[in-house]
Amino acid sequence: MNIKQFKAEMKKRTVVTANSEFHLHMFEIGEETRKLTAEINNKYNPPEKIQELFSQLIGQKVINFKLFPPFYADYGKNISVGENVFINSGCCFQDQGGIEIGNNVLIGQQVVIATLNHELAPTRRANLVPAPVNIGNNVWIGAHATILSGVTIGDNSVVAAGAVVTKDVPANVVVAGVPAKVVKNIEE
């Protein structure tokens, strides 16, 4: 199992059976991820070094990227980041199912993005069900928001602080609440 194969299966939303080759791969790559996030989080790094370490973490060069540590990821290699992205402190990305972040995105403090769920039946509850999170361009996600698996956030939208996003968000709106609902249209 390699990262490319894993990501291809996650795009298909293949259920990850507990203790399978896929499941063990997640833990193996997770060890590497924890080492890199420890380096990001446990000492002062200038912005250029953080950008370099984050590029290593996700396996993609980031451009005009800013991150205020600490930052946490479970897998790391299934995060894609556009240009001019800012991630504030304390964010947790459960990225095995895939996280795509567009250009000019602002992510507030302690935002959680989750791309995995568990099966409900008790005998299969250890199995993982992946679904990607896609964040469009010019999106602002407020502090303490939670974005759940399978959600797409449209361009230019705002997720209010503390919102729990369980369904897709259209472009050019503000969503708020638990669960998040459209509360306002954004006009130029």
Side-chain angles (χ1 to χ4, degrees):
M1 167 74 47
N2 63 38
I3 291 167
K4 186 176 181 181
Q5 292 169 319
F6 179 83
K7 287 167 75 170
E9 289 302 313
M10 293 302 95
K11 276 191 176 183
K12 294 183 211 172
R13 298 186 179 197
T14 302
V15 172
V16 178
T17 305
N19 300 313
S20 67
E21 179 184 9
F22 288 104
H23 201 232
L24 297 175
H25 170 82
M26 288 165 50
F27 281 102
E28 182 182 304
I29 298 299
E31 286 300 307
E32 294 173 31
T33 300
R34 281 186 284 288
K35 287 177 188 173
L36 279 168
T37 55
E39 192 170 341
I40 291 169
N41 296 337
N42 293 326
K43 67 177 183 177
Y44 172 77
N45 290 296
E48 304 79 31
K49 182 67 174 177
I50 288 176
Q51 190 166 307
E52 176 189 321
L53 289 168
F54 196 85
S55 293
Q56 280 182 275
L57 177 71
I58 69 171
Q60 165 201 343
K61 183 170 175 50
V62 292
I63 299 168
N64 287 336
F65 175 82
K66 302 276 187 292
L67 169 71
F68 287 175
F71 173 82
Y72 305 96
D74 289 355
Y75 186 77
K77 302 296 187 217
N78 212 0
I79 301 170
S80 173
V81 175
E83 293 184 23
N84 197 34
V85 169
F86 172 70
I87 300 174
N88 213 326
S89 62
C91 291
C92 298
F93 288 11
Q94 181 198 50
D95 65 291
Q96 291 93 332
I99 297 172
E100 277 193 34
I101 300 171
N103 298 320
N104 307 307
V105 172
L106 303 171
I107 299 178
Q109 291 179 324
Q110 298 183 345
V111 166
V112 172
I113 300 176
T115 65
L116 294 178
N117 216 331
H118 290 273
E119 291 191 314
L120 290 177
T123 57
R124 294 189 314 272
R125 194 159 291 154
N127 296 342
L128 301 168
V129 181
V133 169
N134 296 293
I135 299 168
N137 297 318
N138 307 305
V139 169
W140 173 21
I141 301 174
H144 298 273
T146 299
I147 315 299
L148 296 181
S149 62
V151 166
T152 295
I153 300 173
D155 292 346
N156 309 312
S157 286
V158 175
V159 175
V164 176
V165 184
T166 61
K167 295 181 179 165
D168 288 353
V169 174
N172 302 301
V173 298
V174 177
V175 295
V178 179
K181 293 181 177 19
V182 174
V183 295
K184 184 176 187 175
N185 291 315
I186 298 173
E187 298 176 24
E188 283 294 319

